Amino acid sequence: MDNASTIAKLVIITGMSGAGKTIAVQCFEDLGFFCVDNLPPVLIPKFAELIEQSQGKIGKVALVIDLRGREFFTALHESLRTVRENYTITYEILFLDATDATLVQRYKETRRRHPLAKDGLPLDGIHAERKLLEELKGLASQVIDTSSLKPAQLKQSIFSRFTNLDANRISINVISFGFKFGVPIDADLIFDVRFLPNPHYVDTLRPQTGQNAEVYDYVMKWNETQEFLAKLLDMLQFLVPQYKKEGKSQVVVGIGCTGGKHRSVAIAEYLGKMLSSSETEVVRVSHRDAERDRQ
């Protein structure tokens, strides 16, 4: 057995209240992780010690951390530094997020009170929590935007990201989207392809998506498309190893056009094919808005 498979794995699950942490911890339980909900950050080093003392019997642990004050963030930062400096365990932070509107709607549906809402108004609590968690989100190795995800889709996303993912490989998630529906909040990189000729204005192509050969070929035939793709691939081939060196296990690349149906889909499909040729990367392509007008 190689070293990558014997090193214990610790996942810190955190993020916005109402963004899906309960569903996430259930997923990790199904994946065979030993899970603890709502653990005080100061106890993380003690868990790291127990993991190492188990001599491989406890190999995967997921901890749900809710930060309710600045002192909790300081404790988390110090605890992770202790783990990094004193144990062989690898860890990463999974941050679950959603738009303010989505979170407000979820609180209305459940009739729960936001823990940071002093006057009972969910949006006030959401704004306070988002500001509190801003720095932690920047430290996260993986961010999942659950705004448009049903529980089953969130589970599938977690399964795909944390099942048999080699420690020496980085996951690249390429997402096409439409700017008119909002920018994906979990994207690390955003590229706007609205400057390319639009298949929407070709009657025979309008009903199709960038996954259809006719639309794909139309988007690809322009000189500006080929020049853009050459520059984009060159940039990604430089950036991805830098992200990996900094400890990120995934990079989310957003490709946006107006409606997320034609140009962005074709470009995302092309990137998926080109980036998948590397043995050091796991590439997934998804199209957030391509079928939106058919739903």
Side-chain angles (χ1 to χ4, degrees), residues 75-92:
L76 175 61
H77 188 76
E78 289 299 315
S79 293
L80 292 179
R81 181 182 60 82
T82 300
V83 171
R84 186 169 58 250
E85 294 178 354
N86 296 281
Y87 301 99
T88 60
I89 298 168
T90 64
Y91 72 84
E92 62 179 290

Side-chain angles (χ1 to χ4, degrees), residues 130-145:
R130 193 173 295 284
K131 184 176 181 180
L132 178 66
L133 296 178
E134 183 178 9
E135 188 174 354
L136 178 58
K137 182 179 179 181
L139 297 175
S141 52
Q142 301 213 36
V143 179
I144 298 179
D145 175 8

Side-chain angles (χ1 to χ4, degrees), residues 62-264:
L63 307 176
V64 180
I65 305 293
D66 285 321
L67 301 186
R68 300 299 181 214
R70 183 68 197 180
E71 68 280 0
F72 266 60
F73 176 80
T74 302
L76 175 61
H77 188 76
E78 289 299 315
S79 293
L80 292 179
R81 181 182 60 82
T82 300
V83 171
R84 186 169 58 250
E85 294 178 354
N86 296 281
Y87 301 99
T88 60
I89 298 168
T90 64
Y91 72 84
E92 62 179 290
I93 299 173
L94 169 62
F95 191 99
L96 300 178
D97 204 348
T99 62
D100 290 354
T102 299
L103 294 174
V104 168
Q105 183 61 36
R106 289 175 182 174
Y107 271 97
K108 287 183 178 180
E109 291 174 353
T110 61
R111 298 184 179 180
R112 292 175 55 222
R113 178 177 177 177
H114 193 283
L116 296 184
K118 296 181 180 179
D119 299 322
L121 297 176
L123 190 58
D124 292 341
I126 290 167
H127 286 166
E129 186 177 35
R130 193 173 295 284
K131 184 176 181 180
L132 178 66
L133 296 178
E134 183 178 9
E135 188 174 354
L136 178 58
K137 182 179 179 181
L139 297 175
S141 52
Q142 301 213 36
V143 179
I144 298 179
D145 175 8
T146 69
S147 302
S148 59
L149 298 182
K150 297 178 181 178
Q153 293 172 317
L154 175 55
K155 290 180 180 180
Q156 183 57 45
S157 179
I158 292 174
F159 284 145
S160 65
R161 298 184 189 205
F162 288 91
T163 302
N164 299 324
L165 186 58
D166 192 321
N168 293 318
R169 306 180 80 187
I170 187 169
S171 173
I172 303 176
N173 293 282
V174 182
I175 302 175
S176 71
F177 69 95
F179 276 98
K180 71 178 183 180
F181 301 115
V183 175
I185 61 177
D186 53 350
D188 299 294
L189 301 166
I190 293 288
F191 297 97
D192 184 349
V193 298
R194 286 177 291 185
F195 67 92
L196 297 176
N198 194 349
H200 175 80
Y201 297 109
V202 180
D203 291 341
T204 58
L205 301 182
R206 187 178 302 125
Q208 305 181 60
T209 75
Q211 290 179 290
N212 296 104
E214 295 86 351
V215 176
Y216 182 90
D217 292 342
Y218 179 90
V219 174
M220 293 296 158
K221 74 178 183 178
W222 308 99
N223 291 333
E224 53 262 55
T225 302
Q226 294 305 313
E227 184 175 355
F228 168 72
L229 289 174
K231 294 178 183 296
L232 179 56
L233 278 174
D234 185 56
M235 179 185 293
L236 292 176
Q237 287 165 355
F238 168 77
L239 287 175
V240 170
Q242 306 307 314
Y243 281 123
K244 183 179 178 182
K245 187 167 64 175
E246 287 300 309
K248 287 181 71 69
S249 60
Q250 76 142 355
V251 177
V252 179
V253 180
I255 307 294
C257 63
T258 303
K261 182 177 180 179
H262 299 117
R263 293 166 292 182
S264 62

